[in-house]
Amino acid sequence: MNEASSPEPTDPERTRTRRDDNPDRRGPSAWDSALRLLGVRARSRHEMRERLTRKGFDTDTVDEVMARLDKHQLLDDTDFAAEWVRSRHLNSGKGRVVLRHELRTKGISESIIAETLAEIDPDDEREIAAGLVARKLTPSVVERVVADRAEREKTLRRLVGFLVRRGYSQSLAFDVVGEALGALEDA
């Protein structure tokens, strides 16, 4: 083999750009991270700040990114809260109590939470709760409830507890479950 044609062995550490030396290769910038987070779903201001801080960006960088996000109108707690409530209420069947708690953990102000939750139609909330109960009343449950008074009471407690855990008020839960079980007895 000819010496001129053979490749000269190179030190891989010398030819490869070190990740720490090249600012373009250090990992995503705070701005890129923020955009990626928004690409997954909308975020509240508090949530975005918290996520960027957890990723290890310093306070000044996070403040700059937050200002830039505001400049481009990419964060709006009112819009976020409205979309969150709409999605979680209609798709997941969550009631006002759980939605209030979730919005608080997202850092939404009490005034925005109250305004957003006031937009939930009580009739829609009742209808969603009734649908959740109807799904739980399988034929085998119905058979036991109709045949045994003690089983009816046990099912009433379980279904009310289920709705309360989903964020519905206790009074609404008792009304909806009572109506559903009453309809079974009438049938």
Side-chain angles (χ1 to χ4, degrees), residues 73-141:
Q73 299 176 345
L74 294 173
L75 293 177
D76 184 335
D77 281 354
T78 303
D79 288 346
F80 170 80
E83 181 57 31
W84 185 266
V85 166
R86 188 193 65 72
S87 173
R88 302 284 287 163
H89 183 61
L90 295 176
N91 300 329
S92 300
K94 301 293 183 181
R96 292 174 200 251
V97 175
V98 166
L99 292 170
R100 179 180 307 283
H101 176 72
E102 289 177 349
L103 290 173
R104 281 182 182 148
T105 63
K106 302 286 181 200
I108 304 298
S109 71
E110 286 299 320
S111 62
I112 293 174
I113 291 172
E115 183 181 309
T116 304
L117 293 178
E119 294 176 14
I120 294 176
D121 182 13
D123 294 334
D124 289 345
E125 186 174 34
R126 185 180 197 85
E127 186 178 319
I128 290 170
L132 291 169
V133 168
R135 279 190 267 161
K136 291 287 187 180
L137 290 174
T138 62
S140 63
V141 172

Side-chain angles (χ1 to χ4, degrees), residues 138-187:
T138 62
S140 63
V141 172
V142 170
E143 186 178 314
R144 288 191 313 262
V145 166
V146 171
D148 184 7
R149 183 82 176 154
E151 189 66 35
R152 181 189 189 282
E153 293 302 316
K154 187 163 90 173
T155 301
L156 174 84
R157 285 191 310 274
R158 285 182 179 169
L159 290 174
V160 167
F162 165 73
L163 287 178
V164 168
R165 286 188 302 276
R166 303 278 299 193
Y168 294 92
S169 70
Q170 194 170 16
S171 63
L172 175 66
F174 270 109
D175 287 348
V176 168
V177 173
E179 287 173 11
L181 295 178
L184 293 177
E185 290 174 356
D186 293 341

Side-chain angles (χ1 to χ4, degrees), residues 12-29 32-33 36 55 57:
E13 288 300 314
R14 292 183 69 211
T15 57
R16 189 174 13 164
T17 303
R18 293 194 45 172
R19 186 175 177 103
D20 296 340
D21 295 339
N22 185 345
D24 296 333
R25 306 231 345 138
R26 283 191 192 141
S29 69
D32 291 338
S33 292
R36 269 195 216 96
K55 285 181 174 278
F57 297 108

